[in-house]
Amino acid sequence: DIVMTQSPDSLAVSLGERATINCKSSRNVFYNSNKKNYLAWYQQKPGQPPKLLIYWASTRDSGVPDRFNGSGSGTDFTLTISSLQAEDVAVYYCQQYFSIPRTFGQGTKVEI
Amino acid sequence: EVQLVQSGAEVKKPGESLRISCKGSGYNFTNFWINWVRQMPGKGLEWMGRIDPSDSYTNYSPSSQGHVTISADKSISTAYLHWSSLRTSDTAMYYCGRRQAGGEAFDVWGQGTIVTVSS
């Protein structure tokens, strides 16, 4: 199984400041044939299901604000929230979909 | 509107059987794999398995294989997660999620079904 490790486990950021979450996979999730990284980011607010933010490591899903940015390749990835808003308080998960079983990181809690 | 609607909360005893459901609407159900994800109380997301509703082909995580069964009835656009013998450790929130078109991430999620197993 591919192990996904996020850091930090939690972080507190002031409103309007940048939040950076890291995700490291135990194996390369870059697929050479289509030049894509098989990695997604999700946001989960309390009492809600997860919401897809980013797929292919850097493509925002429809309707996701442009303050959310995904980057990285291979085994090291980053989710950046450029200017934290109150509504961004949530737990964020990375997920690899390169191989079965799909695996998630342990989550990073973002607070104000 | 594309949505997945899951069945309601369940309270069961250890050893009992259970089937929860996930009904798709607003899209062609057979064109998109459905995944099941477990979230134990206060914990993270764990992928359990998935099904292709067009032919009921399934994949399971090693920890779910043999303990749960994923099925689908494409005639009513519904996927299922079934336990024949529940354990207290099955207490969790269960989500279904749709594999996106042209990709592999989960773009639409059900609202979740909370399952409590207690003697």
Side-chain angles (χ1 to χ4, degrees), chain A residues 1 38 40 42 44 47-52 54-56 61 93 95 97 100-107, chain B residues 35 37 39 43-47 50 59-62 95 99-100 102-107 109-112:
Chain A
D1 300 4
Y38 280 52
Y42 299 87
Q44 187 179 32
Q48 295 186 19
K51 174 188 173 184
L52 177 63
I54 303 282
Y55 56 96
W56 300 134
D61 197 26
Y93 295 92
Q95 179 215 17
Y97 45 86
I100 296 292
R102 306 303 193 220
T103 47
F104 292 89
Q106 79 276 17
Chain B
N35 296 267
V37 174
Q39 188 166 38
K43 301 299 184 182
L45 305 172
E46 300 173 70
W47 183 81
R50 66 177 185 172
N59 297 115
Y60 293 91
S61 70
Y95 294 104
R99 191 187 90 167
Q100 69 186 149
E104 295 284 344
F106 307 163
D107 65 342
W109 292 73
Q111 82 279 16

Side-chain angles (χ1 to χ4, degrees), chain B residues 5-28:
Chain B
V5 178
Q6 297 184 229
S7 50
E10 301 278 358
V11 179
K12 292 288 188 179
K13 292 183 174 2
E16 292 185 333
S17 65
L18 174 65
R19 188 179 76 169
I20 62 174
S21 66
C22 170
K23 183 175 177 61
S25 62
Y27 72 98
N28 188 335

Side-chain angles (χ1 to χ4, degrees), chain B residues 14 62-63:
Chain B
S63 58

Side-chain angles (χ1 to χ4, degrees), chain A residues 11-63:
Chain A
L11 75 162
V13 178
S14 300
L15 288 174
E17 296 300 304
R18 178 186 301 263
T20 301
I21 301 168
N22 300 300
C23 174
K24 189 173 184 66
S25 60
S26 63
R27 283 170 42 202
N28 191 343
V29 298
F30 179 76
Y31 197 33
N32 260 312
S33 65
N34 61 4
K35 304 299 182 193
K36 289 182 183 290
N37 285 285
Y38 280 52
L39 183 112
W41 289 97
Y42 299 87
Q43 175 193 65
Q44 187 179 32
K45 297 180 180 180
Q48 295 186 19
K51 174 188 173 184
L52 177 63
L53 294 177
I54 303 282
Y55 56 96
W56 300 134
S58 60
T59 303
R60 276 187 295 274
D61 197 26
S62 175

